[in-house]
Amino acid sequence: MTATSTLTNFDVELANPRISLEERQKRMLNLGFGKVFSEHMIVIPYTAELGWGRGTLKPYGPLVLDPAASVLHYGQAIFEGFKAYRQRDGHIRTFRPEANAHRFNQSARRLAMPELPEALFLEAADLLIRTEQDWVPKAIGESLYLRPFMIATEAALGIKPASEYVFVILASPAGAYFPQGVKPVTVWISDDYVRAAPGGTGAAKCAGNYAASLVAQAQAKGEGCDQVVWLDAVHRRYIEEMGGMNIMFVYQEQGETVIVTPELTGTLLPGITRLSLLQLAKQLGFKSEERRVTVEEWEAALLEGRMTEAFACGTAAVITPIGAVKSRKGEWIINRRETGPVAAKMREALLNLQHGITPDSYGWMHTVC
Ligand code: PLP
Ligand code: COI
């Protein structure tokens, strides 16, 4: 049963009955990542003929797809991920959602999919979050993770950009991404597989990139590691990313702390956490550099004590320290497999800002309600 009403760009069909307080509390215990979903979702259809249609906020449930829908065959599918945080002052705010709306359209262009007006992306997310306020957890490090995505729905087996799509947003209350929490991970440097090549889709957040990464991740697991580290496809020397996160290295140079992260060459995903940490570094008294880093440099800098920490960063897990690096050539330990002070400080600074504990001096937080 649903109750229907109308907003400017959206029809609203609320779930009836809503989930009870007790049931919601039960589902929100021991959250983890991406396993629990809220009660509603947003759906906006697109056709080449009519453009974006009227959106609907409706009860969470299955999508009906024609078995010939081209996403199922040729993989036109892109997604985003950002979070809504409960604030000290009782408001709910999202972190840089306009950056996700912008990157979503960059991904859309790369996959020959239609762009969605950024204002509509933001309005849709705000409507869903306002409806699902009770699903935003309270603890620091917990949030409501928003998963906007777009898939090609046209029933057609010819290889061409589809003429029909659907844009959807799901909401999922989230705790720690990795089951072990913020403990340092061991990474495997992948020689056998690459994530992205020049001219490919590495800078887009498209489903196929993740499908192609799974076998390398499985190999890393088989080598006793938690995550895979990707090298560039051409030279197989330059470090690009760790799993689904950007990577940062901490150097000590002439009494200064320098955060070094691989430059965006077109094969890396331009992370919003990466960009934010580069901006925050200055405020925390750290220098930062965007440049290429080779595997040889990683090993040498660690052995010489010039590099003191390494960590990965992304929306889902925020900051994940790297405690050890393994490859076919050997294994190196970083910071005695402990979380280092720079990773801890940056994580705390970012989370405090996201939860409204420290002032939002960059104007990054977007008030939803
Ligand atoms: N790299 C990849 C491959 C990703 O999937 C993500 C996640 O979105 C990131 C990096 C980090 O990006 P962001 O900080 O915008 O979440
Ligand atoms: C991230 O937020 O860092 C991600 O990579 C999201 C992941 C679940 C695809």
Side-chain angles (χ1 to χ4, degrees), residues 284-342:
L284 296 174
F286 306 140
K287 283 183 152 177
S288 65
E289 284 174 16
E290 295 175 74
R291 63 173 172 83
R292 298 194 126 191
V293 177
T294 60
V295 178
E296 300 83 65
E297 173 180 341
W298 194 359
E299 180 177 16
L302 278 173
L303 293 178
E304 291 159 17
R306 288 184 289 118
M307 187 191 290
T308 50
E309 298 175 42
F311 59 87
C313 63
T315 297
V318 193
I319 283 181
T320 301
I322 301 175
V325 189
K326 275 169 96 169
S327 75
R328 293 221 164 84
K329 298 190 190 77
E331 178 172 0
W332 330 304
I333 306 297
I334 308 178
N335 194 43
R336 302 181 306 280
R337 293 183 191 268
E338 287 166 15
T339 300
V342 176

Side-chain angles (χ1 to χ4, degrees), residues 33 79-83 103 145 147 177 205 210 242-246 269 273 313-318:
F33 181 83
F79 68 97
E80 268 303 327
F82 65 100
K83 288 176 168 175
R103 189 172 64 188
Y145 180 79
R147 169 52 65 88
Y177 183 79
K205 216 161 154 58
Y210 300 82
M242 182 198 90
M245 303 174 80
N246 293 115
L269 202 275
T273 317
C313 63
T315 297
V318 193

Side-chain angles (χ1 to χ4, degrees), residues 167-304:
F167 170 77
V168 183
I169 311 184
L170 311 177
S172 171
Y177 183 79
F178 293 116
Q180 79 273 19
V182 196
K183 282 226 295 286
V185 293
T186 299
V187 297
W188 174 254
I189 296 182
S190 181
D191 284 325
D192 295 338
Y193 303 103
V194 291
R195 191 189 86 91
T201 56
K205 216 161 154 58
C206 60
N209 287 349
Y210 300 82
S213 76
L214 299 176
V215 65
Q217 177 62 28
Q219 187 181 51
K221 281 254 144 64
E223 297 289 346
C225 297
D226 306 294
Q227 285 288 317
V228 59
V229 162
W230 303 107
L231 300 182
D232 78 286
V234 177
H235 307 92
R236 303 290 185 102
R237 287 182 67 204
Y238 297 103
I239 296 151
E240 297 212 320
E241 305 200 51
M242 182 198 90
M245 303 174 80
N246 293 115
I247 195 163
M248 296 196 161
F249 305 101
V250 181
Y251 286 76
Q252 301 301 331
E253 285 174 4
Q254 286 131 23
E256 291 201 288
T257 298
V258 186
I259 315 266
V260 178
T261 192
E263 68 186 68
L264 300 178
T265 54
T267 52
L268 281 71
L269 202 275
I272 295 155
T273 317
R274 172 190 180 280
L275 177 65
S276 307
L277 291 178
L278 287 174
Q279 291 171 270
L280 273 178
K282 212 171 180 182
Q283 191 177 313
L284 296 174
F286 306 140
K287 283 183 152 177
S288 65
E289 284 174 16
E290 295 175 74
R291 63 173 172 83
R292 298 194 126 191
V293 177
T294 60
V295 178
E296 300 83 65
E297 173 180 341
W298 194 359
E299 180 177 16
L302 278 173
L303 293 178
E304 291 159 17

Side-chain angles (χ1 to χ4, degrees), residues 62-178:
L63 297 173
V64 177
L65 283 184
D66 191 293
S70 54
V71 65
L72 301 175
H73 303 270
Y74 308 129
Q76 267 187 301
I78 58 170
F79 68 97
E80 268 303 327
F82 65 100
K83 288 176 168 175
Y85 302 85
R86 205 169 274 286
Q87 309 284 292
R88 268 265 165 93
D89 62 10
H91 285 288
I92 293 171
R93 296 195 172 94
T94 46
F95 181 70
R96 309 190 81 172
E98 67 294 333
N100 296 89
H102 183 74
R103 189 172 64 188
F104 191 70
N105 281 339
Q106 288 178 330
S107 300
R109 284 195 292 277
R110 179 61 184 84
L111 276 280
M113 297 168 87
E115 293 180 42
L116 181 77
E118 289 181 19
L120 187 56
F121 180 106
L122 298 176
E123 186 187 348
D126 284 1
L127 172 61
L128 182 61
I129 299 161
R130 270 202 308 279
T131 311
E132 307 294 47
Q133 287 176 41
D134 293 343
W135 289 93
V136 183
K138 290 199 172 63
I140 301 290
E142 294 185 345
S143 58
L144 185 67
Y145 180 79
L146 284 308
R147 169 52 65 88
F149 66 96
M150 185 191 345
I151 53 172
T153 51
E154 186 192 2
L157 296 184
I159 300 180
K160 63 166 182 72
S163 63
E164 291 170 20
Y165 297 86
V166 66
F167 170 77
V168 183
I169 311 184
L170 311 177
S172 171
Y177 183 79
F178 293 116

